[in-house]
Amino acid sequence: YYLFDDFSVVLMQPTFNQIGPFCEDTNFSLPTVSVEGILGTWSPAINNQQSTIYTFTPNGTELQPTQMMVEILPKQIAVFNDLNAICYGDTAFQLPTISSNGISGTWDKKLNNQQTETYMFTPNAMNCFETTEVTIEVLPELDFEVVSYCKENKMYAEVKHIGVESTNYTYDWTMNGQSLNGNSSLVNLSSYTDVLLNSNTLKVKITDENLCELEKTFTNFEALLCTIPKGISPNGDGNNDFLNLVGLQVAQLKIYNRYGGIVYYKDNYVNEWHGQSNKGNTLPSGTYYYTIKTKYGEELVGWIQLVTESK
């Protein structure tokens, strides 16, 4: 026989191993069997957006329910507030390794400063950190050329933009190290005779509304003579062998003999006439007359003396 003089009945409460914490949006499940092997159900429904206290109700009515809190950690996303468009070919700009909200990480590829691309930023600490996509816009490339020409006996240099057009450019001209006045795509070089040499170095820097800059240097930039020669002597000595109109931007040249007949004709003339007719024959010495139409709408007339050596 066994005798018990004192005893009590205790209701069993199921126990569970703690789960979590989990990152926001992480799918997880609650165990349906306790450490003691007790079956039951949980309430409320799983919420992976915020920390929640869940209650486990055993299937047996004689057992006590139990609770567990599952912590949900909010996702941290790298934010970049200062990544704006960059100028084409910008070598100073670099992709930041720390975001505006203090998250350090790495990018999936190197910066391409010649083309708009999307980059993926991966935080160094991966616990509840998300990757971030950032698109870096590369602005169109600036390009230009400088043409020089004569108009109304003055010499000009002018920027001709290639491709992208804008009305908000600023211009900075320098000739032989001296800054030229004005902020225009057109500069009157005849106003700087004290600066001009036979061979010059011309620099032009343009800046657009996005503060993108491009500077070009033109060496051996000739100071054009904006006068039409009064005579040529094509004898091969290198002096006045051709009718040099390189600075006038000639659209059409006609040369007449003293009877008014056209002996030479050339569109887009530069310096091709050395006393020959259109058929290539050498013209006799004498006074000839010309009409010139420039690409800038000027029409010029005058005479020129041709001196050829007799054989």
Side-chain angles (χ1 to χ4, degrees):
Y1 295 92
Y2 295 94
L3 299 176
F4 300 91
D5 62 356
D6 189 18
F7 66 93
S8 62
V9 176
V10 178
L11 295 178
M12 181 180 293
Q13 186 178 45
T15 59
F16 295 89
N17 294 323
Q18 179 67 46
I19 64 173
F22 298 106
C23 294
E24 185 180 358
D25 290 329
T26 300
N27 293 324
F28 66 92
S29 60
L30 295 166
T32 57
V33 182
S34 72
V35 174
E36 297 81 11
I38 300 171
L39 299 174
T41 57
W42 293 92
S43 64
I46 290 177
N47 184 351
N48 63 2
Q49 299 299 307
Q50 63 183 26
S51 298
T52 303
I53 296 176
Y54 299 92
T55 299
F56 179 82
T57 303
N59 291 340
T61 56
E62 72 279 3
L63 300 178
Q64 290 184 345
T66 189
Q67 292 184 326
M68 178 191 297
M69 187 183 78
V70 179
E71 184 180 5
I72 300 298
L73 302 176
K75 288 182 179 179
Q76 298 189 55
I77 301 175
V79 177
F80 297 91
N81 296 325
D82 52 354
L83 293 186
N84 300 318
I86 66 171
C87 299
Y88 181 93
D90 187 347
T91 58
F93 175 81
Q94 298 294 327
L95 290 169
T97 56
I98 300 179
S99 68
S100 302
N101 55 341
I103 299 174
S104 62
T106 57
W107 298 91
D108 62 331
K109 55 188 173 183
K110 292 183 178 179
L111 175 71
N112 183 351
N113 62 9
Q114 298 183 357
Q115 180 177 316
T116 298
E117 289 194 18
T118 298
Y119 302 85
M120 186 73 70
F121 180 82
T122 301
N124 292 334
M126 290 307 298
N127 186 25
C128 295
F129 285 84
E130 279 195 338
T131 57
T132 304
E133 282 190 354
V134 175
T135 298
I136 305 297
E137 179 187 3
V138 176
L139 297 171
E141 180 181 11
L142 297 180
D143 197 11
F144 67 91
E145 63 180 354
V146 171
V147 297
S148 57
Y149 57 90
C150 297
K151 186 175 182 180
E152 298 176 351
N153 294 325
K154 295 179 182 179
M155 184 174 73
Y156 295 90
E158 184 175 7
V159 168
K160 294 292 186 180
H161 294 278
I162 301 173
V164 180
E165 288 291 345
S166 171
T167 58
N168 296 319
Y169 289 114
T170 59
Y171 303 87
D172 183 13
W173 297 83
T174 303
M175 177 69 81
N176 299 327
Q178 179 170 323
S179 178
L180 306 183
N181 295 329
N183 173 25
S184 171
S185 61
L186 180 67
V187 61
N188 180 2
L189 296 179
S190 296
S191 300
Y192 303 94
T193 55
D194 57 329
V195 178
L196 294 175
L197 306 172
N198 290 332
S199 182
N200 303 274
T201 298
L202 178 67
K203 290 184 179 181
V204 188
K205 182 173 73 174
I206 66 171
T207 305
D208 68 8
E209 65 270 23
N210 299 304
L211 301 183
C212 296
E213 299 178 348
L214 178 63
E215 182 178 84
K216 286 189 176 184
T217 299
F218 302 88
T219 57
N220 300 322
F221 190 88
E222 294 184 359
L224 307 175
L225 296 176
C226 292
T227 57
I228 300 174
K230 291 299 184 182
I232 63 170
S233 55
N235 56 13
D237 64 357
N239 294 318
N240 298 319
D241 286 333
F242 300 88
L243 175 58
N244 188 352
L245 303 179
V246 63
L248 292 178
Q249 297 289 311
V250 176
Q252 183 187 87
L253 168 69
K254 292 181 180 180
I255 295 180
Y256 306 81
N257 59 24
R258 60 180 178 171
Y259 303 108
I262 297 177
V263 295
Y264 183 81
Y265 175 97
K266 181 74 168 60
D267 287 332
N268 300 315
Y269 180 87
V270 181
N271 60 359
E272 293 86 354
W273 190 62
H274 50 85
Q276 80 279 19
S277 68
N278 275 335
K279 295 182 179 180
N281 299 323
T282 300
L283 296 170
S285 297
T287 300
Y288 293 82
Y289 303 88
Y290 60 77
T291 60
I292 296 173
K293 292 182 179 180
T294 73
K295 296 178 181 179
Y296 297 92
E298 286 189 286
E299 295 189 10
L300 308 172
V301 296
W303 59 268
I304 185 169
Q305 190 73 27
L306 173 63
V307 178
T308 57
E309 294 183 346
S310 58
K311 296 183 179 180

